[in-house]
Amino acid sequence: MKKYIYVFLILGFVLNFQKVTAQSNTQTQTDALVNSDEFSFHAERANPTNYDVINIANSLPGAPAVRMFQLQGEGYGFGMKKNELVVVLPYFGRTFNPSYGNPDGNSYRFTSKDFTVEKMQKKKGKWIYQIKPKDVNNVSDIFIEIFKNGKALVSIKSNDRQPISYDGYISANEISAKKEKL
């Protein structure tokens, strides 16, 4: 019986050591992405602040009662480089100046080449970005909160619609990663 206890203790120690090593690798990768100021954000969930939207979505037949909407498929998020910000995010909420002729005008789909970035590090290794695009007329601020494990929370403040936030994770830019392989 004592042999089994020793085996379980050793096995537990080895698994715990692997977990710590994996966490430090993730933190190192996240720090490298934040220090380079070039990364992609991949949105997994949208969190609208308007309860009318949440109530309507929850009143649909067969719909689960949720406050956060799972974003299906790939491609929602943004890519940030030193001189370009490409945003493709859906919008759920009240728009005060809707775009009737262009259905893409009601979501966040834009490319900004003129923007300012403020970055600060908070306690426990968390990073906060504030991006102010100057050449986009309906977005005033984009806030990004990046955690040590690579998870991120993005909030968008607009001039013509209610705020919305997105949960997801950051990774290296795919385009720059492809160029490095060539």
Side-chain angles (χ1 to χ4, degrees):
M1 187 67 178
K2 289 184 181 182
K3 290 180 184 178
Y4 291 123
I5 293 173
Y6 289 128
V7 169
F8 284 125
L9 286 175
I10 291 172
L11 185 63
F13 177 73
V14 169
L15 291 176
N16 191 26
F17 181 73
Q18 287 178 343
K19 182 180 175 183
V20 169
T21 305
Q23 286 177 348
S24 66
N25 287 341
T26 304
Q27 184 176 357
T28 304
Q29 292 170 351
T30 303
D31 288 341
L33 290 173
V34 169
N35 290 333
S36 71
D37 288 334
E38 293 191 2
F39 54 85
S40 293
F41 169 74
H42 304 277
E44 295 175 327
R45 289 175 293 281
N47 185 16
T49 58
N50 187 352
Y51 276 99
D52 292 337
V53 172
I54 295 167
N55 291 336
I56 289 170
N58 291 338
S59 69
L60 296 173
V66 294
R67 281 196 48 183
M68 298 182 88
F69 300 142
Q70 290 289 102
L71 300 177
Q72 301 295 327
E74 295 289 321
Y76 290 122
F78 63 82
M80 187 169 108
K81 297 180 185 175
K82 299 273 188 202
N83 57 358
E84 184 179 54
L85 178 68
V86 179
V87 177
V88 179
L89 289 168
Y91 180 74
F92 307 99
R94 181 172 290 167
T95 303
F96 300 112
N97 294 323
S99 173
Y100 294 109
N102 181 10
D104 289 339
N106 293 328
S107 62
Y108 291 115
R109 293 179 188 267
F110 62 87
T111 300
S112 176
K113 296 196 182 270
D114 185 18
F115 57 92
T116 60
V117 177
E118 293 180 25
K119 177 174 70 169
M120 64 187 95
Q121 187 171 16
K122 295 289 185 177
K123 294 180 181 177
K124 299 182 182 178
K126 179 172 64 171
W127 289 91
I128 305 286
Y129 276 83
Q130 181 179 7
I131 302 171
K132 292 187 178 194
K134 296 178 184 175
D135 55 352
V136 178
N137 57 358
N138 64 346
V139 175
S140 61
D141 292 313
I142 300 173
F143 296 97
I144 310 168
E145 191 172 350
I146 301 172
F147 301 96
K148 292 187 296 187
N149 61 358
K151 296 289 185 180
L153 175 69
V154 172
S155 300
I156 298 180
K157 182 178 162 188
S158 254
N159 301 331
D160 65 347
R161 47 187 94 177
Q162 292 179 329
I164 188 169
S165 63
Y166 303 91
D167 287 339
Y169 62 94
I170 64 168
S171 69
N173 282 333
E174 289 82 15
I175 296 171
S176 61
K178 288 179 184 177
K179 286 181 182 178
E180 290 174 6
K181 289 181 183 178
L182 295 177

